[in-house]
Amino acid sequence: MEKENIAVGLDIGTTKIVAMIGKKNEYGKLEILGIGKSKSLGVARGVVNNITQTILSIQQAVQEAENNSGYKIKDVVVGIAGQHIRSIQHTDYISRNNPEEVIGGMDIQLLIDQVNKLAMLPGEEIIHVLPQEFKIDGQSGIKEPIGMYGGRLESSFHVVVGQASSIRNVGRCIQSAGIELSGLTLEPLASADAVLSQEEKEAGVALIDIGGGTTDLAIFKDAIIRHTAVIPFGGNVITDDIKEGCSIIEKQAELLKIKFGSAWPGENKDNEIVSIPGLRGREPKEISLKNLSKIIHARVVEIVDLVFTEVKAYGHEDPRKKLIAGIVLTGGGAQLKHIKQLVEYITGMDTRIGYPNEHLAGNSDEDIASPLYATAVGLVMKSIENKSQSAVRIEALTQAKAPVYRPAVVQDSIDEKSQMVENVEDENGNEKQTSTVNRIQRNFFDRYVDKIKDFLENAE
């Protein structure tokens, strides 16, 4: 029987942890086999602040996904986010010994290694090195340098930096939950894969992912990542504002936001009232929907203003950097009523809500196509790129009579993965030559994941 390539993504958010198992069907679409969701109790603004609670939440989400799918999860691709993430622009170059030789992968790797030696602030590490455009002997605007001639190879890079301790804590939680870490990716990049079209990336687009604890921004132009940022505010601060402003408990505030909340106060009439049950026999509390919308509106305006400041910092007002495709909103916060209209009003840019349904198989559950699961879908897509078998059928495990399969099976899968990648590159040699950016990202992340694994093993 042909071996299935099963992919698993794990989205560790501030409000929820999602484990998603999927595979590509015969039409190249993503078929979701199982999904598990648990309340995130040990994460604040994208950063783990309680290891024990986070491990339990991960285990709960993984268990639910396994029960729903009939697959046992071995390894996962995890999203990295949080207020500790920042990005910088950097330009570097190398001088080649022999300009008469064609530029190859080793030259690009040499340039990447040079960027990795950049001095960071104490406790910070480079987690993403994203090449933008190359320049050879002064000739600019080169997207694919391999196969060209030249003595000086130069490139501009988008470098994403984060707190090493925060990333290692995520690795520790995953390892302690009994699964392996097969890949890391920046969450806004995963969301972008799930909800943006290639045409939008070419034209210029800003993806705004409004999560529970943070709002992530990724800007693309000419199909190249140009800017990323993490705003340390999300849906949770809106809930907190409602809780304080209406003097109710958090659970009631969250329900009010979801059922009756609107980012546009003008939509509600003055006489629209909702009654909230009182606590322990107390009288019910009446809340004006207009006041509720005013509270939500004030906080959403603040978040959008902060994001728009980042968009302007990228240089959107420069005609050459104009984002023709406007803004795409995704994440749980994108489900707030009238938020699209408010964002258009504040920024003056075309806006749409981003759903991951373009990449999903036609028979997918409607809930999975929600903006809420955009990051999880993107992480499964990243896992598919790894070509690894991240989960196995539970019946297959039972028949093999191998209840304990870690770490040996995991190691096998890693070996198989590296072999598979090599085979793909050997068979398609020239075809792979056209994806320098993808190869750089893959090589870099393989090494970075290995570095985290070594750290965790040495810390035992």
Side-chain angles (χ1 to χ4, degrees), residues 180-193:
E180 291 288 321
L181 179 65
S182 66
L184 281 168
T185 190
L186 194 62
E187 290 202 349
L189 298 183
S191 302
D193 284 347

PDB file of all heavy atoms in Angstrom, residues 180-193:
ATOM      1  N   GLU A 180       7.169  15.394  18.663  1.00  0.00           N
ATOM      2  CA  GLU A 180       8.405  15.993  18.186  1.00  0.00           C
ATOM      3  C   GLU A 180       8.127  17.285  17.421  1.00  0.00           C
ATOM      4  O   GLU A 180       7.050  17.467  16.860  1.00  0.00           O
ATOM      5  CB  GLU A 180       9.143  15.007  17.261  1.00  0.00           C
ATOM      6  CG  GLU A 180       9.715  13.795  17.972  1.00  0.00           C
ATOM      7  CD  GLU A 180      10.921  14.125  18.832  1.00  0.00           C
ATOM      8  OE1 GLU A 180      11.738  14.954  18.411  1.00  0.00           O
ATOM      9  OE2 GLU A 180      11.037  13.550  19.928  1.00  0.00           O
ATOM     10  N   LEU A 181       9.122  18.147  17.398  1.00  0.00           N
ATOM     11  CA  LEU A 181       9.043  19.400  16.650  1.00  0.00           C
ATOM     12  C   LEU A 181       9.703  19.182  15.292  1.00  0.00           C
ATOM     13  O   LEU A 181      10.893  18.912  15.206  1.00  0.00           O
ATOM     14  CB  LEU A 181       9.777  20.492  17.435  1.00  0.00           C
ATOM     15  CG  LEU A 181       9.845  21.889  16.817  1.00  0.00           C
ATOM     16  CD1 LEU A 181       8.469  22.502  16.705  1.00  0.00           C
ATOM     17  CD2 LEU A 181      10.757  22.792  17.638  1.00  0.00           C
ATOM     18  N   SER A 182       8.912  19.273  14.207  1.00  0.00           N
ATOM     19  CA  SER A 182       9.491  19.034  12.873  1.00  0.00           C
ATOM     20  C   SER A 182       9.733  20.324  12.111  1.00  0.00           C
ATOM     21  O   SER A 182      10.429  20.334  11.106  1.00  0.00           O
ATOM     22  CB  SER A 182       8.574  18.126  12.046  1.00  0.00           C
ATOM     23  OG  SER A 182       7.353  18.781  11.765  1.00  0.00           O
ATOM     24  N   GLY A 183       9.145  21.441  12.572  1.00  0.00           N
ATOM     25  CA  GLY A 183       9.357  22.699  11.864  1.00  0.00           C
ATOM     26  C   GLY A 183       8.804  23.884  12.637  1.00  0.00           C
ATOM     27  O   GLY A 183       7.929  23.738  13.487  1.00  0.00           O
ATOM     28  N   LEU A 184       9.360  25.040  12.342  1.00  0.00           N
ATOM     29  CA  LEU A 184       8.919  26.304  12.940  1.00  0.00           C
ATOM     30  C   LEU A 184       8.612  27.279  11.821  1.00  0.00           C
ATOM     31  O   LEU A 184       9.309  27.296  10.807  1.00  0.00           O
ATOM     32  CB  LEU A 184      10.045  26.920  13.778  1.00  0.00           C
ATOM     33  CG  LEU A 184      10.328  26.382  15.170  1.00  0.00           C
ATOM     34  CD1 LEU A 184      11.658  26.953  15.630  1.00  0.00           C
ATOM     35  CD2 LEU A 184       9.234  26.766  16.129  1.00  0.00           C
ATOM     36  N   THR A 185       7.586  28.094  11.996  1.00  0.00           N
ATOM     37  CA  THR A 185       7.347  29.156  11.019  1.00  0.00           C
ATOM     38  C   THR A 185       6.684  30.328  11.718  1.00  0.00           C
ATOM     39  O   THR A 185       5.979  30.155  12.703  1.00  0.00           O
ATOM     40  CB  THR A 185       6.493  28.658   9.830  1.00  0.00           C
ATOM     41  OG1 THR A 185       6.493  29.635   8.810  1.00  0.00           O
ATOM     42  CG2 THR A 185       5.067  28.362  10.251  1.00  0.00           C
ATOM     43  N   LEU A 186       6.923  31.507  11.200  1.00  0.00           N
ATOM     44  CA  LEU A 186       6.299  32.699  11.757  1.00  0.00           C
ATOM     45  C   LEU A 186       4.807  32.648  11.437  1.00  0.00           C
ATOM     46  O   LEU A 186       4.426  32.422  10.285  1.00  0.00           O
ATOM     47  CB  LEU A 186       6.948  33.938  11.139  1.00  0.00           C
ATOM     48  CG  LEU A 186       6.694  35.278  11.803  1.00  0.00           C
ATOM     49  CD1 LEU A 186       7.240  35.304  13.228  1.00  0.00           C
ATOM     50  CD2 LEU A 186       7.296  36.402  10.975  1.00  0.00           C
ATOM     51  N   GLU A 187       3.959  32.845  12.435  1.00  0.00           N
ATOM     52  CA  GLU A 187       2.517  32.655  12.251  1.00  0.00           C
ATOM     53  C   GLU A 187       1.912  33.518  11.148  1.00  0.00           C
ATOM     54  O   GLU A 187       1.096  33.028  10.367  1.00  0.00           O
ATOM     55  CB  GLU A 187       1.776  32.834  13.576  1.00  0.00           C
ATOM     56  CG  GLU A 187       2.053  31.689  14.536  1.00  0.00           C
ATOM     57  CD  GLU A 187       1.000  31.516  15.606  1.00  0.00           C
ATOM     58  OE1 GLU A 187       0.145  32.402  15.745  1.00  0.00           O
ATOM     59  OE2 GLU A 187       1.042  30.492  16.302  1.00  0.00           O
ATOM     60  N   PRO A 188       2.271  34.814  11.041  1.00  0.00           N
ATOM     61  CA  PRO A 188       1.686  35.589   9.933  1.00  0.00           C
ATOM     62  C   PRO A 188       2.050  35.039   8.557  1.00  0.00           C
ATOM     63  O   PRO A 188       1.277  35.184   7.605  1.00  0.00           O
ATOM     64  CB  PRO A 188       2.236  37.006  10.133  1.00  0.00           C
ATOM     65  CG  PRO A 188       3.277  36.922  11.181  1.00  0.00           C
ATOM     66  CD  PRO A 188       3.025  35.673  11.963  1.00  0.00           C
ATOM     67  N   LEU A 189       3.210  34.382   8.436  1.00  0.00           N
ATOM     68  CA  LEU A 189       3.583  33.774   7.155  1.00  0.00           C
ATOM     69  C   LEU A 189       2.732  32.542   6.867  1.00  0.00           C
ATOM     70  O   LEU A 189       2.350  32.285   5.727  1.00  0.00           O
ATOM     71  CB  LEU A 189       5.070  33.406   7.142  1.00  0.00           C
ATOM     72  CG  LEU A 189       6.071  34.562   7.294  1.00  0.00           C
ATOM     73  CD1 LEU A 189       7.491  34.045   7.194  1.00  0.00           C
ATOM     74  CD2 LEU A 189       5.820  35.644   6.254  1.00  0.00           C
ATOM     75  N   ALA A 190       2.423  31.770   7.931  1.00  0.00           N
ATOM     76  CA  ALA A 190       1.536  30.609   7.774  1.00  0.00           C
ATOM     77  C   ALA A 190       0.136  31.071   7.380  1.00  0.00           C
ATOM     78  O   ALA A 190      -0.477  30.513   6.464  1.00  0.00           O
ATOM     79  CB  ALA A 190       1.487  29.804   9.074  1.00  0.00           C
ATOM     80  N   SER A 191      -0.369  32.100   8.056  1.00  0.00           N
ATOM     81  CA  SER A 191      -1.697  32.638   7.725  1.00  0.00           C
ATOM     82  C   SER A 191      -1.727  33.148   6.292  1.00  0.00           C
ATOM     83  O   SER A 191      -2.722  32.966   5.572  1.00  0.00           O
ATOM     84  CB  SER A 191      -2.067  33.778   8.677  1.00  0.00           C
ATOM     85  OG  SER A 191      -2.047  33.353  10.017  1.00  0.00           O
ATOM     86  N   ALA A 192      -0.630  33.796   5.871  1.00  0.00           N
ATOM     87  CA  ALA A 192      -0.544  34.326   4.500  1.00  0.00           C
ATOM     88  C   ALA A 192      -0.658  33.210   3.474  1.00  0.00           C
ATOM     89  O   ALA A 192      -1.352  33.343   2.460  1.00  0.00           O
ATOM     90  CB  ALA A 192       0.762  35.093   4.310  1.00  0.00           C
ATOM     91  N   ASP A 193       0.011  32.079   3.719  1.00  0.00           N
ATOM     92  CA  ASP A 193      -0.079  30.934   2.813  1.00  0.00           C
ATOM     93  C   ASP A 193      -1.511  30.452   2.680  1.00  0.00           C
ATOM     94  O   ASP A 193      -1.940  30.011   1.617  1.00  0.00           O
ATOM     95  CB  ASP A 193       0.800  29.777   3.325  1.00  0.00           C
ATOM     96  CG  ASP A 193       2.269  30.007   3.060  1.00  0.00           C
ATOM     97  OD1 ASP A 193       2.591  30.914   2.274  1.00  0.00           O
ATOM     98  OD2 ASP A 193       3.104  29.293   3.643  1.00  0.00           O
TER      99      ASP A 193
END
